[in-house]
Amino acid sequence: MTTAVQSLPGNPCIVMVDAYAGVRSLVLEFLRQGCSVVRVQSTRETPYVYIPAPYVAEDFIADLTHEGDVDATAKAVAAFAPVAVVSGGEIGVELADLLADRLGLPGNGTALSAARRDKHLMVETVRAAGLRAARQLFATDARELAAWHRDLGGRVVVKPPRSAGGQGVTFCDTPQESAAAFRALADADDVFSQPNNGAVAQEYLAGTEYMVNTVSRDGRHHVCDVWRTGRASRNGVLDLCDALSLIDSGSRVVEPLTDYAFRVLDALGIRHGPAHLEIRMTPAGPCLVEVGARIAGGGIPAAAGLGIGESQLEWTVDAFLRPERFHERAGTPYEIRRYAAIYGMVSPVEGVLRGYEGIEEIERLEGLHTLTPLVRPGQRIRRTVDDLTYPVIVTLLHELDEVVQRDLNTIRHLDGTGFYALDGASTAS
């Protein structure tokens, strides 16, 4: 456990658990508000998913590593007299709950911490609160899962209990496929380098999936932004998410999504801080896919800020630093200034990338805001099968939603085998 300088007098200190590069925008927002930030890493080793995205050490006045002794970590953190403990990443939720509880700071308590991380327990907790929830099984045996699928019928989704980014999620139409998906997951590690020790199987929820991003203070919830997901069957994945589109708060779907989301937050004991909910709007109404007690990932807050003028970042800062301002404004519908969309390009090939053919056509799109290659020429490119394997991220921004949607369709048209030029031998789906 290493430390740096103490926070300055009158300089509010924020503790962020697992503040890797993906949440640097939240770190920077606290810094802009005059805070100092202490980083706590919840695991001794950096999880697999964060290795390519390290943190910026200069952002923090201290960098602590939790060695398993909560009392020791709480004591080390208490020396900085923090005003809040915030989870940066999914894996840090439970430790953030523990530290906030030990230090008497605003938090969500520890009684439901596991339900805010474990996808099976999460859905069962929501069901117990009287909300619509998917039929499911926590499987520890392939034959048990196959029998359950046979009795349920239809399509089943098999997923790791505590992973993220769509890693390991498989859509199965037969009991045999479910059993195979279980065998691939059960003894493997998730993206956080933690053993799965089983798999969660859930009924497939038909309908459009939405992402609802919220911030809470004292049990009062506020919707910051809502996104409609775009999906395609690509690379053997039935429901691969390739796009997110910011939707107007006045859209008819937002009210039922909001009502359901707030009840989910209450059921899971999320009273303070940000949350990211993924909800399917099924023919029978909204139904939870999963929720994270942390800000949205994938650059969503930044894109929301471009479209709305603020996002979970500003609302989270207000919730912890200026709760009176949060309560004055909470519940106000957000207003779109410019429509935004995020597209993750879907590589159908594997090999060493030579270049992107026709990328200049994307660069000429009227709604283009940013084009960010995550895989560059000379690097190895993989087939896109989840949120962790997009080779290029495109952000669109325009005053007219029609322009944004037109440009999304144009990118989809360009995105195929011919877009990816490879060196030497390669494979394509």
Side-chain angles (χ1 to χ4, degrees):
M1 184 176 292
T2 59
T3 62
V5 297
Q6 299 282 350
S7 58
L8 299 174
N11 193 24
C13 179
I14 303 296
V15 171
M16 288 195 66
V17 181
D18 290 331
Y20 291 97
V23 293
R24 192 179 183 222
S25 57
L26 182 56
V27 175
L28 293 177
E29 188 61 33
F30 276 116
L31 293 177
R32 276 192 289 269
Q33 298 298 320
C35 297
S36 56
V37 183
V38 171
R39 179 181 182 275
V40 177
Q41 184 167 307
S42 67
T43 57
R44 292 179 181 176
E45 302 296 328
T46 299
Y48 160 77
V49 70
Y50 296 130
I51 290 175
Y55 57 94
V56 177
E58 292 75 17
D59 290 344
F60 307 99
I61 62 166
D63 185 12
L64 314 176
T65 299
H66 176 57
E67 302 285 353
D69 186 333
V70 176
D71 290 334
T73 302
K75 182 178 179 180
V77 165
F80 296 90
V83 299
V85 179
V86 183
S87 177
E90 186 72 23
I91 193 175
V93 166
E94 288 165 302
L95 181 58
D97 290 343
L98 276 168
L99 292 177
D101 194 61
R102 294 291 178 95
L103 298 176
L105 297 172
N108 297 321
T110 58
L112 293 172
S113 283
R116 293 189 283 269
R117 282 285 291 117
D118 182 285
K119 300 182 195 307
H120 181 267
L121 184 55
M122 179 184 296
V123 169
E124 290 306 309
T125 301
V126 167
R127 191 192 322 279
L131 300 178
R132 176 140 195 264
R135 292 171 290 179
Q136 63 171 0
L137 170 76
F138 181 74
T140 56
D141 179 82
R143 287 175 297 180
E144 172 195 29
L145 174 52
W148 178 81
H149 189 172
R150 195 172 295 110
D151 290 341
L152 180 71
R155 179 174 291 145
V156 163
V157 183
V158 179
K159 62 177 71 173
R162 287 174 164 247
S163 197
Q167 180 259 350
V169 175
T170 307
F171 299 89
C172 305
D173 288 322
T174 68
Q176 293 76 18
E177 290 175 354
S178 289
F182 171 84
R183 285 190 287 268
L185 284 180
D187 297 324
D189 288 348
D190 63 23
V191 295
F192 302 119
S193 303
Q194 302 296 311
N196 287 322
N197 295 324
V200 178
Q202 297 172 337
E203 64 173 311
Y204 173 76
L205 300 172
T208 302
E209 186 167 312
Y210 294 87
M211 295 183 177
V212 181
N213 297 311
T214 66
V215 175
S216 306
R217 174 73 199 206
D218 302 313
R220 187 178 183 191
H221 313 303
H222 174 77
V223 171
C224 302
D225 46 279
V226 179
W227 300 75
R228 182 183 63 249
T229 70
R231 293 176 180 271
S233 294
R234 304 275 295 273
N235 295 342
V237 181
L238 175 75
D239 260 357
L240 184 62
C241 179
D242 62 2
L244 303 176
S245 296
L246 181 64
I247 65 171
D248 195 287
S249 62
S251 173
R252 286 190 305 171
V253 76
V254 170
E255 183 176 351
L257 283 171
T258 297
D259 177 67
Y260 181 82
F262 285 2
R263 294 168 70 190
V264 167
L265 295 176
D266 289 339
L268 293 172
I270 298 177
R271 295 178 47 80
H272 293 276
H276 170 73
L277 299 99
E278 299 175 4
I279 301 170
R280 286 268 175 153
M281 184 56 76
T282 73
C287 190
L288 183 69
V289 176
E290 57 189 61
V291 56
R294 38 76 182 174
I295 67 168
I300 294 173
L306 291 170
I308 299 169
E310 61 183 355
S311 69
Q312 279 185 306
L313 305 178
E314 292 84 2
W315 279 94
T316 298
V317 169
D318 273 357
F320 287 113
L321 296 184
R322 295 181 287 268
E324 68 290 340
R325 184 171 190 267
F326 175 91
H327 285 298
E328 286 173 4
R329 302 174 62 227
T332 304
Y334 63 84
E335 295 183 5
I336 293 181
R337 301 176 182 179
R338 292 179 293 177
Y339 288 88
I342 304 170
Y343 184 85
M345 302 203 73
V346 180
S347 164
V349 299
E350 294 189 2
V352 177
L353 180 69
R354 186 171 72 248
Y356 296 109
E357 300 287 349
I359 198 168
E360 64 278 358
E361 294 187 55
I362 297 176
E363 293 172 336
R364 288 195 296 265
L365 291 175
E366 183 179 354
L368 179 69
H369 180 70
T370 58
L371 189 156
T372 306
L374 304 179
V375 179
R376 297 184 178 276
Q379 297 179 327
R380 186 162 189 84
I381 192 169
R382 295 187 292 160
R383 289 189 185 93
T384 302
V385 294
D386 53 32
D387 298 351
L388 308 176
T389 46
Y390 301 124
V392 179
I393 301 294
V394 182
T395 303
L396 301 171
L397 196 67
H398 199 274
E399 288 76 11
L400 296 177
D401 190 35
E402 289 79 5
V403 172
V404 170
Q405 297 307 313
R406 180 199 66 197
D407 288 354
L408 270 182
N409 289 333
T410 301
I411 297 171
R412 282 198 180 98
H413 171 71
L414 296 171
D415 190 15
T417 304
F419 185 78
Y420 305 91
L422 303 181
D423 281 332
S426 63
T427 58
S429 59

